[in-house]
Amino acid sequence: MMSRRNFSLAAGMAAAVALTAGALIASTAQAAPNDTDTRAPDFTGVTATGDTVSLSDFAGQTVVLEWTNDGCPFVQKHYAVPPAKMQGLQTDASESDVVWLSIVSSAPGKQGHRTGAELLDMNEGRGATPAHVIIDESGDIGRLYKAKTTPHMFVITAEGEIAYQGAIDDTPSARVSDIETSTNYVSAALDSVAAGEPVEVASSKPYGCSVKY
């Protein structure tokens, strides 16, 4: 039978273990993946025009990654004309020597999966001008970046650091009318990166449709 003294010691040890475990859990939560502090992993993909591009091809330039799926209402919101918000961001990026890569990670047979010709025709019709559209039907690039939704946006600095990842703006809705009053995280991040200033909102929870892996 356990003596009162031994029982007290055991209880004390159990409490210490519990406190240590709690501290570890708290530590893990605080150290939850913060992609803004990580180096952007390199990848290679085939574009809608049949070219092969790698992220490293654009070393020295700011790069935007946009996960997209034209069948998703949240994507349609930002491509709606007017106001053609996504198209405007792409135009601004191009004029600022920022490389815009749209990535389609929809698997064959899933919503948003398109051939290269279909993607090019679609972009021409809606006035979209990304530098490249990468067809990632294996989902390898999407999983590498843990892309969760369409849209899911990343801003990568010329030094290859992820300066921003998450939602395109602060209004998680599919209503076009909400764009005017939203704070666009991507344009804000690009402005800060261009100015050599810290990105105020460096990470947010992406919203939209799940990526159709």
Side-chain angles (χ1 to χ4, degrees), residues 155-193:
V155 175
I156 300 170
T157 68
E159 292 76 32
E161 297 293 329
I162 297 176
Y164 174 75
Q165 77 81 27
I168 187 169
D169 62 26
D170 66 347
T171 307
S173 82
R175 294 186 296 271
V176 176
S177 58
D178 286 337
I179 291 177
E180 185 177 357
T181 55
S182 298
T183 296
N184 192 284
Y185 291 140
V186 175
S187 59
L190 287 171
D191 288 346
S192 296
V193 169

Side-chain angles (χ1 to χ4, degrees), residues 15-203:
V17 169
L19 286 170
T20 302
L24 286 172
I25 291 170
S27 175
T28 301
Q30 289 169 0
N34 182 354
D35 292 340
T36 60
D37 292 334
T38 64
R39 188 123 187 113
D42 195 19
F43 60 83
T44 298
V46 177
T47 71
T49 57
D51 296 322
T52 299
V53 299
S54 299
L55 178 64
S56 55
D57 294 340
F58 310 110
Q61 292 178 275
T62 301
V63 175
V64 174
L65 305 183
E66 171 211 356
W67 261 266
T68 189
N69 162 10
D70 69 282
C72 170
F74 296 89
V75 171
Q76 293 169 357
K77 163 190 173 183
H78 292 285
Y79 277 99
V81 181
K85 184 64 179 180
M86 195 71 83
Q87 296 92 320
L89 290 173
Q90 293 168 350
T91 299
D92 292 344
S94 176
E95 292 174 349
S96 302
D97 198 30
V98 172
V99 179
W100 190 290
L101 303 178
S102 297
I103 302 176
V104 180
S105 292
S106 298
K110 299 287 186 69
Q111 183 191 64
H113 182 268
R114 303 284 184 194
T115 66
E118 289 172 341
L119 289 167
L120 294 173
D121 286 346
M122 180 176 65
N123 277 347
E124 183 177 358
R126 61 185 181 180
T129 55
H132 298 283
V133 181
I134 296 174
I135 301 174
D136 175 42
E137 61 183 21
S138 69
D140 289 346
I141 302 172
R143 292 187 178 91
L144 180 65
Y145 275 76
K146 300 179 182 177
K148 297 178 177 63
T149 62
T150 51
H152 190 160
M153 311 297 296
F154 293 77
V155 175
I156 300 170
T157 68
E159 292 76 32
E161 297 293 329
I162 297 176
Y164 174 75
Q165 77 81 27
I168 187 169
D169 62 26
D170 66 347
T171 307
S173 82
R175 294 186 296 271
V176 176
S177 58
D178 286 337
I179 291 177
E180 185 177 357
T181 55
S182 298
T183 296
N184 192 284
Y185 291 140
V186 175
S187 59
L190 287 171
D191 288 346
S192 296
V193 169
E197 299 173 349
V199 175
E200 184 176 353
V201 178
S203 181

